[in-house]
Amino acid sequence: MKKRIGFLSFGHWQPIPGSSTRTAQDALLQSIELAVAAEELGIDGAYVRVHHFARQLASPFPLLAAMAARTSRIELGTAVIDMRYENPLYMAEEAAAADLIASGRLQLGVSRGSPEPALRGAEAFGYLPADGETDADMARAHTALFRAAIDGAGVVLSDPQMTGSSIPLAIQPQSPGLSERIWWGSGTRQTAVWTAEQGLNLMSSTLLSEDTGVPFDQLQAEQIAQFRAAWAEAGWEREPRVSVSRSVIPIVSDLDREYFGGRSAENQDQVGYLDGGIARFGKSYTGEPDAIAEQLAADAAVQDADTVLLTVPNQLGVDYNARLLETIANHVAPAIGWEPNPRTTA
């Protein structure tokens, strides 16, 4: 199994002391520059988180298209798009256009979304669950229509007065292969099984909204195992992909120590409440590169996944995060079986 690594940016921006990302424009342009820098380092993926009603990245497709225009090899993706907010057909048009600009490099993570600052935010966008449905039901319905549209299904009948006949029309443009590059952000073992049954790739983050008392990496490895078993039982012909996210901060300079040297308490799992239920949060990997490499090599879920997404402190700027990724690429990632992609050549 080829091991891939990518960075994941939440795109925070705040006009506060110490921030190198003070405006929305800063967050967008720096995300593009970091994707360029990551590609030069041989990193496999550049991913962005999508949040609404917050000073973070919100509209991914213009950003992904701009990243695509500045790069040629690196995967470009989301982790994740909250499907409660999306017009599935317009999203299908945007996704296909961005994927065509990227020459088939998009990897789109979608899900029901996470807790957010807005009260009934999706309703403000014009989307409300039908009677008897939940937010999760609506997100899955939006996802099903989006997937049908990018797969070329007819989603509306033509007007006979314009076309001379009544035939199903598909969304245009179409981008071949995009339908196999859709991931579902799963927070439990049960939803991982559902993900496999739908033929979606699995995206699992740094938390699970359940807890059985075992370490986070083991619980996540169990989630991955159940996903793979359900995939095989469903009889899908292609091999699925699986990603996990990790916070990895190698400390190699005085500046690193200033920012992150006092975070040893985060180097262990945490259990708490999220969205009305118990959740287990995975530990951060902060410290000397050799120690982090050894710990990641022993992380059960990291070993079982083909892709590891590294969350970056984006407000520290492009130069800082490029150096962080370079340290990980040179001194940490080889311990989990990663090899750099060939660097871009002129």
Side-chain angles (χ1 to χ4, degrees):
M1 176 174 60
K2 174 180 171 58
K3 189 74 72 176
R4 296 175 171 89
I5 61 172
F7 75 80
L8 171 59
S9 174
F10 280 49
H12 293 283
W13 54 275
Q14 289 279 3
I16 57 175
S19 174
S20 296
T21 312
R22 304 180 66 82
T23 68
Q25 183 181 42
D26 290 339
L28 292 163
L29 295 180
Q30 289 175 17
S31 296
I32 298 167
E33 295 301 327
L34 188 56
V36 172
E39 179 170 86
E40 289 299 318
L41 292 169
I43 302 296
D44 301 281
Y47 288 73
V48 295
R49 184 70 166 89
V50 179
H51 279 284
H52 300 286
F53 301 107
R55 291 182 176 183
Q56 296 175 242
L57 299 173
S59 51
F61 292 106
L63 177 58
L64 293 171
M67 286 177 166
R70 291 284 306 280
T71 58
S72 62
R73 177 198 52 77
I74 196 168
E75 291 182 342
L76 307 166
T78 55
V80 292
I81 297 171
D82 187 334
M83 292 301 291
R84 294 174 296 175
Y85 283 81
E86 296 298 323
N87 178 314
L89 301 186
Y90 183 55
M91 180 178 167
E93 292 179 340
E94 288 189 308
D99 195 44
L100 290 170
I101 294 170
S103 298
R105 288 182 284 137
L106 255 56
Q107 303 285 340
L108 296 180
V110 302
S111 81
R112 170 249 183 250
S114 60
E116 56 181 352
L119 179 64
R120 299 194 299 272
E123 184 177 342
F125 273 52
Y127 302 111
L128 187 66
D131 289 343
E133 290 188 343
T134 65
D135 278 1
D137 294 331
M138 181 174 69
R140 292 183 180 192
H142 284 189
T143 301
L145 181 53
F146 165 72
R147 294 181 67 200
I150 63 172
D151 209 25
V155 295
V156 66
L157 291 177
S158 63
D159 184 346
Q161 292 185 344
M162 295 290 294
T163 64
S165 62
S166 179
I167 59 173
L169 298 178
I171 286 293
Q172 298 297 337
Q174 291 285 312
S175 187
L178 178 59
S179 61
E180 295 187 355
R181 288 179 271 115
I182 310 301
W183 309 55
W184 185 263
S186 169
T188 65
R189 293 165 295 174
Q190 181 181 4
T191 56
V193 170
W194 177 87
T195 301
E197 292 169 347
Q198 305 307 306
L200 292 160
N201 301 303
L202 176 67
M203 188 170 276
S204 190
S205 73
T206 54
L207 68 90
L208 292 170
S209 53
E210 60 181 342
D211 181 47
T212 62
V214 303
F216 176 82
D217 68 310
Q218 294 181 23
L219 182 60
Q220 195 171 49
E222 184 178 341
Q223 180 195 35
I224 294 170
Q226 291 189 13
F227 167 79
R228 294 193 187 281
W231 185 279
E233 185 175 350
W236 301 112
E237 293 183 0
R238 68 179 178 88
E239 285 296 315
R241 288 185 60 181
V242 174
S243 76
V244 297
S245 299
R246 292 293 183 269
S247 175
V248 178
I249 306 289
I251 296 181
V252 297
S253 70
D254 290 340
L255 186 59
D256 296 334
R257 293 183 186 90
E258 179 181 347
Y259 284 135
F260 302 106
R263 296 196 173 187
S264 59
E266 298 178 8
N267 289 348
Q268 58 185 355
D269 291 356
Q270 302 289 330
V271 178
Y273 286 90
L274 182 70
D275 207 17
I278 194 167
R280 179 169 284 268
F281 301 78
K283 65 182 181 180
S284 298
Y285 290 87
T286 305
E288 298 295 325
D290 289 349
I292 292 176
E294 184 177 347
Q295 293 166 9
L296 276 178
D299 185 308
V302 166
Q303 290 304 315
D304 288 347
D306 63 77
T307 301
V308 180
L309 300 183
L310 309 163
T311 59
V312 295
N314 76 280
Q315 283 187 274
L316 297 183
V318 175
D319 289 344
Y320 183 89
N321 282 292
R323 287 194 297 271
L324 181 149
L325 291 174
E326 184 175 21
T327 300
I328 293 174
N330 290 336
H331 303 292
V332 177
I336 63 173
W338 176 79
E339 295 180 357
N341 260 312
R343 286 161 171 75
T344 303
T345 57

